[in-house]
Amino acid sequence: MVSTLTFPKGGVHPPESKGLTEQLPIQVMPLPAELHLILGQHIGAPCTPTVAKKAAVGEGDLVADVSKGLGVPLHAPAAGSIKAIATAAHPIRVTTPSITLAVDREAQPRQWTADQWQQLTAQELLQKVHDAGIVGIGGAGFPTHVKLKPPADTPVDTLLLNGAECEPYITADHRSMVEKAEEIVEGAKILLKILGIKTCVVGIENNKPDAIAAMTAAVRAAGGDDSDISVVTLQVKYPQGSEKQLIQAITGRKVPAMALPSAVGVVVHNVSTTRAVYEAVALGKPLIEKVVTISGRGIVKPANLLVKIGTKVSDIVEYCGGISDEVAKVVLGGPMMGFAVSTLDIPVTKTTSAVLFLTKEEIDTTPLSSCIRCGWCLDACPMGLEPKEIGLYVEANRPENTEQFGVFECFECGSCAYVCPAKRPLVQFVRLAKMKAKRS
């Protein structure tokens, strides 16, 4: 095991708060009565339904697809019938087009049978990844098959698997590495064959020694081919799991501004996405379920749950024993990059990593004040940007002038807002600036 690695610029150390769930094995949540399948589950064009109301569908059947533009298909997570093609609650857009599936809880679960994939060509493997609807599980939901076709003028030599899981509270990737390490390693081999390269490095923060041990053992046990897969230990520092920071920490390469990782010969995938690739290729199973961390001191029974895509948060709450009267905020995702929601009717999507039920003791309710120009946000920003200036320009109604401060290079990690003594909503300022600058 090598010495711990990290990125050189910025970063913060928020309380990890992983103790509630890091030792809890993954549980399979029973099927709810209904699933609500949002049609826009990834970056790019939303899906268009391929089924009609009242149609019967089986587990894994295609229910929506993208015919034009960037996108991947959507599948039925369970057998049942199409109850409605309408809308569902959304954490940002309030409501969004969706398919409501009435679940047949008496139907037998589909059996996914392992098959040999080694004789398939890279193009055939890539097609299987697309057809299974795989997107980046650990981030913004970029279609995985597109990431696996880097531009011809930027040849790739290294695959990085992101097992950092640096966000507080979230332990879904951690438990997946501990319990499904062999599947992740086989998924890595599939990705290497698609990319036509040999080298893969798995980066895991050193607060997950059991995951490091499990993944290291799985790599040693795999063998049998000429792939070069290794595990490296990362320092605990947020946002270690960001693509550009992970690349710099492990390879020393710095991705240029507004460039893709392939510009420095690297492709990055989350470990859970890699496991989904294994299931798609080796089992023929589309992305219809995922591990979600349910945590915070406001939920009666914290858990790492394997839930079907489209499961409502309210159904999860019922399964986990309800919430306490002390809950002050419900967050989809982590506390740094997630979104606070006002309803429990929001369904899980392919990119939902956690649902947090935070009490007053777990959140900071200090009111915001004017910028005191302390410069702490400049020190914390891992991209070397100027968050305070972006905020000041947005307040002055000049968002179109924020590009000079790197607003489009910001990936909204929240490090600046975390350290701000004035409690300014710097991430929200950035999001507003991006939205208004694109419209101008």
Side-chain angles (χ1 to χ4, degrees):
M1 190 177 294
V2 299
S3 59
T4 54
L5 305 171
T6 192
F7 55 95
K9 173 71 177 74
V12 294
H13 295 85
E16 294 177 23
S17 302
K18 294 178 183 283
L20 289 170
T21 57
E22 63 185 352
Q23 298 303 320
L24 298 179
I26 297 168
Q27 300 177 45
V28 179
M29 180 176 162
L31 285 169
E34 291 182 353
L35 296 170
H36 298 261
L37 306 173
I38 289 175
L39 294 175
Q41 301 220 6
H42 54 263
I43 287 178
C47 290
T48 300
T50 58
V51 291
K53 186 177 178 180
K54 298 184 179 180
V57 295
E59 181 181 344
D61 286 356
L62 183 73
V63 295
D65 205 352
V66 176
S67 57
K68 293 181 180 179
L70 184 72
V72 295
L74 184 63
H75 303 80
S81 60
I82 305 302
K83 181 178 179 180
I85 298 176
T87 61
H90 192 277
I92 303 172
R93 303 184 186 96
V94 184
T95 60
T96 190
S98 73
I99 295 172
T100 302
L101 173 65
V103 175
D104 179 2
R105 290 192 276 194
E106 300 301 318
Q108 290 297 312
R110 181 170 173 180
Q111 300 300 310
W112 305 97
T113 307
D115 197 8
Q116 296 297 314
W117 57 267
Q118 288 81 359
Q119 303 308 314
L120 299 177
T121 66
Q123 185 56 44
E124 288 170 333
L125 294 172
L126 190 66
Q127 189 63 46
K128 282 182 173 289
V129 171
H130 167 271
D131 293 347
I134 310 296
V135 301
I137 288 176
F142 196 84
T144 300
H145 72 285
V146 178
K147 253 190 173 184
L148 291 171
K149 289 183 67 175
D153 59 347
T154 55
V156 168
D157 57 42
T158 303
L159 167 68
L160 297 188
L161 296 193
N162 184 356
E165 198 165 50
C166 57
E167 273 257 23
Y169 289 93
I170 308 178
T171 56
D173 286 348
H174 181 173
R175 295 310 309 175
S176 294
M177 288 187 286
V178 170
E179 300 178 40
K180 302 294 181 180
E182 296 83 3
E183 296 179 3
I184 294 170
V185 171
E186 187 162 354
K189 291 190 175 188
I190 294 168
L191 295 177
L192 288 172
K193 182 166 183 178
I194 293 173
L195 291 167
I197 61 176
K198 306 297 182 186
T199 303
C200 171
V201 183
V202 186
I204 308 173
E205 284 193 332
N206 63 7
N207 59 353
K208 307 173 185 64
D210 50 352
I212 293 170
M215 289 297 297
T216 301
V219 167
R220 287 174 180 164
D225 57 23
D226 58 353
S227 59
D228 178 17
I229 305 176
S230 60
V231 177
V232 298
T233 308
L234 306 169
Q235 289 183 29
V236 177
K237 183 168 74 168
Y238 181 85
Q240 190 82 257
S242 165
E243 270 192 341
K244 292 185 177 181
Q245 279 60 48
L246 190 72
I247 291 169
Q248 193 167 11
I250 294 176
T251 70
R253 305 173 191 177
K254 187 173 182 179
V255 181
M258 306 305 290
L260 297 173
S262 61
V264 294
V266 178
V267 167
V268 182
H269 284 286
N270 173 269
V271 289
S272 292
T273 306
T274 305
R275 181 174 172 242
V277 166
Y278 158 78
E279 292 189 326
V281 171
L283 305 180
K285 180 180 178 180
L287 181 51
I288 56 174
E289 59 188 9
K290 72 186 308 289
V291 180
V292 179
T293 296
I294 312 301
S295 193
R297 301 194 180 279
I299 188 79
V300 173
K301 297 178 183 177
N304 293 298
L305 292 183
L306 181 65
V307 303
K308 297 293 187 181
I309 304 299
T311 301
K312 280 187 175 183
V313 173
S314 56
D315 290 319
I316 292 174
V317 168
E318 182 179 355
Y319 177 73
C320 290
I323 55 178
S324 74
D325 294 336
E326 301 300 313
V327 170
K329 185 177 289 188
V330 178
V331 176
L332 246 59
M336 300 294 286
M337 295 187 71
F339 293 87
V341 296
S342 58
T343 174
L344 300 183
D345 286 334
I346 292 178
V348 167
T349 69
K350 294 178 181 181
T351 60
T352 305
S353 55
V355 186
L356 307 181
F357 300 87
L358 305 178
T359 63
K360 295 175 183 177
E361 289 72 28
E362 294 175 284
I363 62 175
D364 189 343
T365 57
T366 306
L368 68 95
S369 58
S370 299
C371 175
I372 61 173
R373 299 185 181 274
C374 63
W376 288 8
C377 60
L378 305 182
D379 293 336
C381 179
M383 298 300 294
L385 310 180
E386 299 186 56
K388 70 178 183 65
E389 296 297 335
I390 295 171
L392 291 170
Y393 269 69
V394 169
E395 287 182 311
N397 200 29
R398 295 174 58 186
E400 67 279 1
N401 299 130
T402 57
E403 189 170 355
Q404 62 183 309
F405 305 116
V407 68
F408 289 110
E409 267 290 280
C410 174
F411 58 91
E412 303 171 18
C413 71
S415 295
C416 55
Y418 177 77
V419 300
C420 179
K423 305 302 176 186
R424 290 168 61 72
L426 295 170
V427 176
Q428 284 73 20
F429 284 145
V430 166
R431 289 172 180 160
L432 190 60
K434 287 179 181 178
M435 181 179 66
K436 290 190 174 182
K438 288 177 181 177
R439 289 178 180 175
S440 62

